[in-house]
Amino acid sequence: MSGICGEAFVVLAPLTATAQTVIYGRNGLAGQGSDVSEVHFYPASEASGPVKCDSAEVDAAATFSVILSKPAGVWGAESGSNEKGVCIGLTFSEGHPVDGKLNATDLVRLGLERASSAAEAVDVLTSLSAGAGPDGESKDAPKAAFVICDGSEVWLLNIVGSLWAAHKETSSSLALKPGLSVGAQIDRSSDDLGEKLKSGGLWDGSGELNFGGVFGLDATRSWPGSEPAAEGSYGLAQIFESLRAAGADQKALSSHVSVLSGGGGLSCHWFTATPDPLESVFKPFVFTPGAKISPLTKAPEGESQTLLHKLHGNRKWEAVGDLLRSLEGTCVDEVNRFISEHSGEPNQELDELMKDCVEAEVKFYR
């Protein structure tokens, strides 16, 4: 899988409406992969046998529960979250993976399955990508850019072949277009990064090392509409608006939002599972021991589309859009109220939250 890109937005306290939260949003963008996005939930599991990914096999490890937004037919994911409140999103990938090596979507899923924090996810991805070469001293090596969040930290990680650079973001809002997002601010990197870039003829060693600039792929940063500025003003409604505004400018595929609690509260994750956020609704998911999602967000065996995607493509938005958007707003209010009134312990009342919302949406399309 190559050529998958996404546009991501992250907002941190003190701009977030609830203290000690990080809000993450991502639009998948049309590229060389499948335009049909699935949403899959995988419960936690113990280690048992090697893991067969799309383009490589890795040693087994115990996994956390994960929910993934993924191109149809792909083992890995382009965006997702885990039960520990970690999000990983792919904002850029380019180049064909080396045979037998992990690709960018493999890394998203593996990182979510194995990392309990954003910082640990950087460790997991860079360790697993050590063999994703060739050696990396080439502009033709596979490239990938990830944004990695938990309830208190945001990391940007760029990988080119076997070389990598990471930056811990300190600003209160962040907009990422496709491209390599780590520039001159490098907090962690592969060993002898500068020397390897020089030996590969990619950097002459003069001035400050700019990782994205070396490869001519600096990611632009721009916020759709007004960038968040007022303390305590940015919440779910605002991230939905941002993704919809960004999606109006180019073809956006499935969208994902997570509100990550850094203070022991419940995190909530929202997925459209359908293209174009302007004409889609977000459905909520909370990790619980009995969590379920609807089978309608997965393509049936032998088919290339999910039933939700197929029905969404045939609906008349002008006939159902206002009502669905009103239901989305009611759902946001109810979920926010429930989370504010309950502790961080998962509640069985939330087990089928996303399942119920997906199946309610489908009734309007039939």
Side-chain angles (χ1 to χ4, degrees):
M1 178 60 59
S2 64
I4 291 177
C5 294
E7 191 171 14
F9 306 92
V10 185
V11 182
L12 298 81
L15 301 182
T16 50
T18 304
Q20 293 183 296
T21 59
V22 170
I23 298 177
Y24 160 92
R26 179 188 181 276
N27 282 336
L29 300 179
Q32 298 174 19
S34 170
D35 282 359
V36 177
S37 294
E38 300 178 294
V39 174
H40 285 232
F41 168 72
Y42 298 99
S45 66
E46 299 297 325
S48 60
V51 179
K52 294 183 179 180
C53 308
D54 277 322
S55 55
E57 188 174 278
V58 296
D59 292 338
T63 66
F64 298 115
S65 296
V66 298
I67 186 163
L68 307 174
S69 179
K70 58 205 294 295
V74 169
W75 180 88
E78 52 186 302
S79 187
S81 305
N82 72 15
E83 63 178 295
K84 296 298 183 180
V86 178
C87 283
I88 302 178
L90 182 62
T91 56
F92 174 72
S93 66
E94 181 180 87
H96 295 285
V98 178
D99 188 37
K101 307 296 184 180
L102 294 170
N103 65 28
T105 53
D106 291 336
L107 290 172
V108 172
R109 177 169 173 177
L110 289 167
L112 289 168
E113 289 182 337
R114 302 180 181 205
S116 61
S117 68
E120 186 178 1
V122 175
D123 293 335
V124 170
L125 267 65
T126 54
S127 174
L128 289 170
S129 71
D135 290 340
E137 296 88 26
S138 165
K139 287 195 174 183
D140 297 324
K143 303 170 183 66
F146 307 87
V147 56
I148 304 171
C149 314
D150 60 23
S152 58
E153 291 187 349
V154 179
W155 283 85
L156 305 179
L157 171 65
N158 292 180
I159 300 173
V160 177
S162 61
L163 303 180
W164 61 270
H167 168 59
K168 183 179 177 181
E169 189 63 47
T170 57
S171 59
S172 295
S173 65
L174 176 66
L176 295 170
K177 302 280 188 179
L180 294 180
S181 52
V182 178
Q185 294 180 304
I186 299 174
D187 296 306
R188 297 178 56 191
S189 71
S190 49
D191 293 339
D192 302 318
L193 176 61
E195 291 303 315
K196 289 179 178 177
L197 290 170
K198 285 192 288 185
S199 67
L202 296 170
W203 182 48
D204 62 10
S206 63
E208 192 173 33
L209 171 59
N210 180 309
F211 191 73
V214 162
F215 298 95
L217 290 167
D218 306 60
T220 58
R221 300 188 180 197
S222 62
W223 204 274
S226 300
E227 186 169 354
E231 290 190 13
S233 65
Y234 200 88
L236 265 177
Q238 288 71 38
I239 188 66
F240 291 172
E241 289 173 5
S242 295
L243 292 178
R244 285 169 173 145
D249 295 332
Q250 54 192 314
K251 184 179 179 182
L253 305 180
S254 182
S255 303
H256 167 202
V257 163
S258 283
V259 180
L260 305 171
S261 173
L266 290 173
S267 296
C268 190
H269 316 278
W270 301 74
F271 297 85
T272 59
T274 53
D276 187 359
L278 281 167
E279 296 191 2
S280 292
V281 290
F282 288 87
K283 282 77 70 177
F285 174 87
V286 175
F287 285 96
T288 66
K292 297 177 182 178
I293 66 170
S294 172
L296 304 182
T297 65
K298 296 181 283 186
E301 186 84 24
E303 296 189 23
S304 60
Q305 289 192 65
T306 69
L307 181 59
L308 178 61
H309 189 281
K310 184 184 298 184
L311 293 173
H312 178 270
N314 292 329
R315 86 284 179 265
K316 293 184 178 179
W317 181 254
E318 60 273 15
V320 298
D322 287 346
L323 181 54
L324 281 172
R325 195 63 61 78
S326 175
L327 291 174
E328 177 191 83
T330 300
C331 185
V332 167
D333 291 341
E334 292 179 351
V335 170
N336 283 342
R337 186 180 307 111
F338 185 95
I339 289 175
S340 68
E341 293 174 353
H342 291 75
S343 67
E345 289 299 316
N347 190 302
Q348 65 181 13
E349 292 181 47
L350 303 174
D351 283 354
E352 298 188 2
L353 182 60
M354 185 173 182
K355 178 176 182 292
D356 291 344
C357 290
V358 169
E359 292 172 2
E361 178 182 347
V362 164
K363 290 179 181 178
F364 287 92
Y365 296 154
R366 289 189 183 278

